[in-house]
Short mmCIF file of all heavy atoms in Angstrom, two decimals:
data_model
loop_
_atom_site.label_atom_id
_atom_site.label_comp_id
_atom_site.label_asym_id
_atom_site.label_seq_id
_atom_site.Cartn_x
_atom_site.Cartn_y
_atom_site.Cartn_z
N GLU A 1 -3.17 -9.82 -1.95
CA GLU A 1 -4.48 -9.13 -1.66
C GLU A 1 -4.31 -8.19 -0.46
O GLU A 1 -4.75 -7.09 -0.43
CB GLU A 1 -5.57 -10.07 -1.52
CG GLU A 1 -6.94 -9.50 -1.29
CD GLU A 1 -8.09 -10.49 -1.13
OE1 GLU A 1 -7.82 -11.65 -1.25
OE2 GLU A 1 -9.16 -9.98 -0.80
N ASP A 2 -3.84 -8.75 0.62
CA ASP A 2 -3.61 -7.98 1.89
C ASP A 2 -2.63 -6.88 1.68
O ASP A 2 -2.85 -5.71 2.27
CB ASP A 2 -3.27 -8.88 3.01
CG ASP A 2 -4.38 -9.73 3.59
OD1 ASP A 2 -5.49 -9.49 3.28
OD2 ASP A 2 -4.00 -10.71 4.33
N ALA A 3 -1.65 -6.98 0.88
CA ALA A 3 -0.67 -5.94 0.70
C ALA A 3 -1.40 -4.81 -0.14
O ALA A 3 -1.16 -3.64 0.13
CB ALA A 3 0.52 -6.47 -0.15
N LEU A 4 -2.22 -5.13 -1.13
CA LEU A 4 -2.96 -4.18 -1.84
C LEU A 4 -3.89 -3.42 -0.94
O LEU A 4 -4.09 -2.23 -1.02
CB LEU A 4 -3.74 -4.76 -2.97
CG LEU A 4 -2.89 -5.30 -4.10
CD1 LEU A 4 -3.70 -6.17 -5.15
CD2 LEU A 4 -2.19 -4.17 -4.78
N HIS A 5 -4.60 -4.13 -0.05
CA HIS A 5 -5.54 -3.45 0.96
C HIS A 5 -4.72 -2.58 1.90
O HIS A 5 -5.13 -1.41 2.20
CB HIS A 5 -6.29 -4.48 1.74
CG HIS A 5 -7.39 -5.13 1.07
ND1 HIS A 5 -8.41 -4.53 0.36
CD2 HIS A 5 -7.69 -6.46 0.95
CE1 HIS A 5 -9.23 -5.37 -0.21
NE2 HIS A 5 -8.76 -6.60 0.17
N LEU A 6 -3.61 -3.04 2.35
CA LEU A 6 -2.70 -2.19 3.28
C LEU A 6 -2.23 -0.99 2.56
O LEU A 6 -2.18 0.20 3.16
CB LEU A 6 -1.55 -2.97 3.86
CG LEU A 6 -0.66 -2.25 4.84
CD1 LEU A 6 -1.41 -1.76 5.99
CD2 LEU A 6 0.46 -3.20 5.26
N THR A 7 -1.90 -1.15 1.36
CA THR A 7 -1.45 -0.02 0.54
C THR A 7 -2.54 1.09 0.47
O THR A 7 -2.33 2.23 0.65
CB THR A 7 -1.09 -0.38 -0.89
OG1 THR A 7 0.08 -1.37 -0.77
CG2 THR A 7 -0.54 0.74 -1.70
N ASP A 8 -3.80 0.59 0.21
CA ASP A 8 -4.98 1.56 0.17
C ASP A 8 -5.06 2.27 1.50
O ASP A 8 -5.41 3.46 1.53
CB ASP A 8 -6.21 0.79 -0.20
CG ASP A 8 -6.21 0.51 -1.74
OD1 ASP A 8 -5.49 1.07 -2.55
OD2 ASP A 8 -7.09 -0.47 -2.13
N LEU A 9 -4.93 1.55 2.56
CA LEU A 9 -5.07 2.11 3.89
C LEU A 9 -3.95 3.05 4.09
O LEU A 9 -4.19 4.23 4.70
CB LEU A 9 -5.06 1.08 4.99
CG LEU A 9 -6.18 0.08 5.06
CD1 LEU A 9 -6.03 -1.03 6.05
CD2 LEU A 9 -7.53 0.76 5.26
N LEU A 10 -2.74 2.74 3.71
CA LEU A 10 -1.60 3.66 3.91
C LEU A 10 -1.69 4.95 3.08
O LEU A 10 -1.37 5.98 3.60
CB LEU A 10 -0.29 2.94 3.56
CG LEU A 10 0.06 1.85 4.49
CD1 LEU A 10 1.27 1.00 3.85
CD2 LEU A 10 0.60 2.47 5.85
N MET A 11 -2.19 4.84 1.94
CA MET A 11 -2.30 5.99 1.01
C MET A 11 -3.71 6.65 1.18
O MET A 11 -3.95 7.57 0.36
CB MET A 11 -2.07 5.46 -0.39
CG MET A 11 -0.63 4.92 -0.59
SD MET A 11 -0.18 4.17 -2.05
CE MET A 11 -0.54 5.49 -3.26
N ASP A 12 -4.51 6.25 2.21
CA ASP A 12 -5.80 6.87 2.40
C ASP A 12 -6.65 6.98 1.15
O ASP A 12 -7.25 8.08 0.78
CB ASP A 12 -5.60 8.23 3.05
CG ASP A 12 -6.86 8.76 3.77
OD1 ASP A 12 -7.72 7.84 4.12
OD2 ASP A 12 -7.05 10.00 3.91
N GLN A 13 -6.86 5.91 0.48
CA GLN A 13 -7.62 5.83 -0.78
C GLN A 13 -8.69 4.72 -0.57
O GLN A 13 -8.47 3.81 0.29
CB GLN A 13 -6.71 5.67 -1.94
CG GLN A 13 -5.92 4.49 -1.98
CD GLN A 13 -4.82 4.56 -3.14
OE1 GLN A 13 -4.52 5.60 -3.58
NE2 GLN A 13 -4.28 3.42 -3.44
N PRO A 14 -9.76 4.82 -1.32
CA PRO A 14 -10.77 3.76 -1.18
C PRO A 14 -10.24 2.36 -1.42
O PRO A 14 -9.35 2.16 -2.29
CB PRO A 14 -11.71 4.09 -2.36
CG PRO A 14 -11.49 5.52 -2.63
CD PRO A 14 -10.09 5.76 -2.32
N LEU A 15 -10.62 1.29 -0.64
CA LEU A 15 -10.23 0.00 -0.84
C LEU A 15 -10.55 -0.44 -2.23
O LEU A 15 -11.59 -0.21 -2.72
CB LEU A 15 -10.93 -0.95 0.17
CG LEU A 15 -10.59 -0.67 1.61
CD1 LEU A 15 -11.39 -1.63 2.55
CD2 LEU A 15 -9.02 -0.97 1.86
N GLY A 16 -9.54 -1.16 -2.85
CA GLY A 16 -9.69 -1.66 -4.18
C GLY A 16 -9.12 -0.76 -5.19
O GLY A 16 -8.99 -1.02 -6.37
N SER A 17 -8.59 0.43 -4.73
CA SER A 17 -7.93 1.40 -5.68
C SER A 17 -6.64 0.78 -6.18
O SER A 17 -6.26 0.97 -7.31
CB SER A 17 -7.66 2.70 -5.01
OG SER A 17 -8.78 3.36 -4.63
N SER A 18 -5.87 0.18 -5.35
CA SER A 18 -4.52 -0.38 -5.76
C SER A 18 -4.79 -1.83 -6.32
O SER A 18 -5.51 -2.62 -5.78
CB SER A 18 -3.65 -0.63 -4.60
OG SER A 18 -3.25 0.67 -3.98
N THR A 19 -4.37 -1.88 -7.57
CA THR A 19 -4.52 -3.24 -8.35
C THR A 19 -3.16 -3.83 -8.58
O THR A 19 -3.18 -4.98 -8.98
CB THR A 19 -5.28 -2.95 -9.61
OG1 THR A 19 -4.54 -1.94 -10.43
CG2 THR A 19 -6.67 -2.41 -9.38
N GLU A 20 -2.08 -3.10 -8.33
CA GLU A 20 -0.76 -3.71 -8.52
C GLU A 20 0.14 -3.05 -7.55
O GLU A 20 -0.08 -1.91 -7.03
CB GLU A 20 -0.22 -3.55 -9.88
CG GLU A 20 -0.09 -2.11 -10.33
CD GLU A 20 0.57 -2.04 -11.74
OE1 GLU A 20 1.22 -3.04 -12.15
OE2 GLU A 20 0.37 -0.99 -12.45
N LEU A 21 1.20 -3.66 -7.24
CA LEU A 21 2.24 -3.09 -6.34
C LEU A 21 3.38 -2.46 -7.18
O LEU A 21 4.49 -2.99 -7.24
CB LEU A 21 2.80 -4.10 -5.41
CG LEU A 21 1.79 -4.68 -4.31
CD1 LEU A 21 2.34 -5.71 -3.40
CD2 LEU A 21 1.27 -3.53 -3.48
N ALA A 22 3.01 -1.24 -7.71
CA ALA A 22 4.08 -0.56 -8.62
C ALA A 22 4.98 0.20 -7.58
O ALA A 22 4.87 0.01 -6.34
CB ALA A 22 3.27 0.44 -9.48
N GLU A 23 5.77 1.06 -8.04
CA GLU A 23 6.81 1.66 -7.32
C GLU A 23 6.20 2.49 -6.10
O GLU A 23 6.82 2.40 -4.93
CB GLU A 23 7.67 2.55 -8.16
CG GLU A 23 8.86 3.16 -7.50
CD GLU A 23 9.74 4.06 -8.40
OE1 GLU A 23 9.69 3.89 -9.62
OE2 GLU A 23 10.41 4.83 -7.90
N LEU A 24 5.22 3.26 -6.27
CA LEU A 24 4.62 4.09 -5.24
C LEU A 24 3.99 3.14 -4.13
O LEU A 24 4.25 3.48 -2.95
CB LEU A 24 3.56 4.93 -5.84
CG LEU A 24 2.89 5.83 -4.74
CD1 LEU A 24 3.93 6.90 -4.12
CD2 LEU A 24 1.75 6.72 -5.44
N GLU A 25 3.33 2.15 -4.56
CA GLU A 25 2.74 1.22 -3.62
C GLU A 25 3.75 0.48 -2.79
O GLU A 25 3.66 0.33 -1.53
CB GLU A 25 1.82 0.22 -4.23
CG GLU A 25 0.52 0.84 -4.84
CD GLU A 25 0.74 1.50 -6.18
OE1 GLU A 25 1.83 1.43 -6.75
OE2 GLU A 25 -0.27 2.07 -6.65
N GLN A 26 4.87 0.02 -3.43
CA GLN A 26 6.01 -0.62 -2.75
C GLN A 26 6.70 0.29 -1.82
O GLN A 26 7.07 -0.09 -0.68
CB GLN A 26 6.92 -1.25 -3.70
CG GLN A 26 6.48 -2.46 -4.49
CD GLN A 26 7.45 -3.12 -5.34
OE1 GLN A 26 8.60 -3.11 -5.02
NE2 GLN A 26 7.01 -3.73 -6.36
N SER A 27 6.81 1.56 -2.18
CA SER A 27 7.37 2.59 -1.27
C SER A 27 6.51 2.80 -0.04
O SER A 27 6.98 2.81 1.09
CB SER A 27 7.53 3.89 -1.96
OG SER A 27 8.07 4.88 -1.18
N ALA A 28 5.18 2.81 -0.13
CA ALA A 28 4.34 2.95 1.02
C ALA A 28 4.52 1.74 1.94
O ALA A 28 4.61 1.91 3.17
CB ALA A 28 2.89 3.13 0.50
N LEU A 29 4.50 0.53 1.29
CA LEU A 29 4.72 -0.67 2.09
C LEU A 29 6.00 -0.66 2.86
O LEU A 29 6.19 -1.12 3.97
CB LEU A 29 4.57 -1.93 1.26
CG LEU A 29 3.10 -2.21 0.84
CD1 LEU A 29 3.14 -3.41 -0.19
CD2 LEU A 29 2.21 -2.53 2.03
N ALA A 30 7.07 -0.24 2.15
CA ALA A 30 8.43 -0.24 2.65
C ALA A 30 8.48 0.77 3.92
O ALA A 30 9.11 0.38 4.95
CB ALA A 30 9.51 0.22 1.68
N GLU A 31 7.83 1.88 3.81
CA GLU A 31 7.84 2.79 4.93
C GLU A 31 7.12 2.22 6.14
O GLU A 31 7.51 2.44 7.18
CB GLU A 31 7.27 4.21 4.46
CG GLU A 31 8.09 4.90 3.53
CD GLU A 31 9.45 5.18 4.21
OE1 GLU A 31 9.59 5.63 5.31
OE2 GLU A 31 10.45 5.18 3.39
N ALA A 32 6.01 1.54 5.88
CA ALA A 32 5.21 0.95 6.92
C ALA A 32 6.08 -0.17 7.62
O ALA A 32 6.15 -0.29 8.84
CB ALA A 32 3.96 0.35 6.46
N GLY A 33 6.72 -0.98 6.80
CA GLY A 33 7.59 -2.06 7.39
C GLY A 33 8.77 -1.50 8.25
O GLY A 33 9.09 -1.96 9.28
N HIS A 34 9.35 -0.38 7.68
CA HIS A 34 10.47 0.24 8.40
C HIS A 34 10.00 0.84 9.73
O HIS A 34 10.66 0.65 10.68
CB HIS A 34 11.15 1.31 7.47
CG HIS A 34 12.37 1.80 7.95
ND1 HIS A 34 12.46 2.99 8.69
CD2 HIS A 34 13.66 1.30 7.85
CE1 HIS A 34 13.72 3.15 9.01
NE2 HIS A 34 14.44 2.18 8.55
N LEU A 35 8.90 1.45 9.66
CA LEU A 35 8.34 2.09 10.90
C LEU A 35 8.14 0.91 11.93
O LEU A 35 8.40 1.07 13.06
CB LEU A 35 7.10 2.77 10.61
CG LEU A 35 6.33 3.30 11.82
CD1 LEU A 35 6.30 4.86 11.77
CD2 LEU A 35 5.02 2.72 11.99
N MET A 36 7.41 -0.17 11.53
CA MET A 36 7.09 -1.26 12.41
C MET A 36 8.29 -1.79 13.10
O MET A 36 8.42 -2.04 14.29
CB MET A 36 6.25 -2.30 11.79
CG MET A 36 4.91 -1.73 11.33
SD MET A 36 3.93 -2.90 10.32
CE MET A 36 3.86 -4.32 11.40
#
């Protein structure tokens, strides 16, 4: 659930927009993790 929320924040979309961690969502999370 937190990963989906973070994905929405990263992709600047309304909360609840992400319902699964598909390739694009995983890529956004990977970039955030790499940056951190």
Side-chain angles (χ1 to χ4, degrees):
E1 180 182 354
D2 285 345
L4 292 169
H5 286 308
L6 181 58
T7 299
D8 286 339
L9 295 173
L10 290 165
M11 297 173 57
D12 198 24
Q13 55 192 23
L15 291 176
S17 297
S18 296
T19 58
E20 64 176 337
L21 293 177
E23 189 175 338
L24 181 62
E25 290 82 3
Q26 287 188 31
S27 178
L29 289 172
E31 288 303 318
H34 192 261
L35 174 119
M36 292 171 62

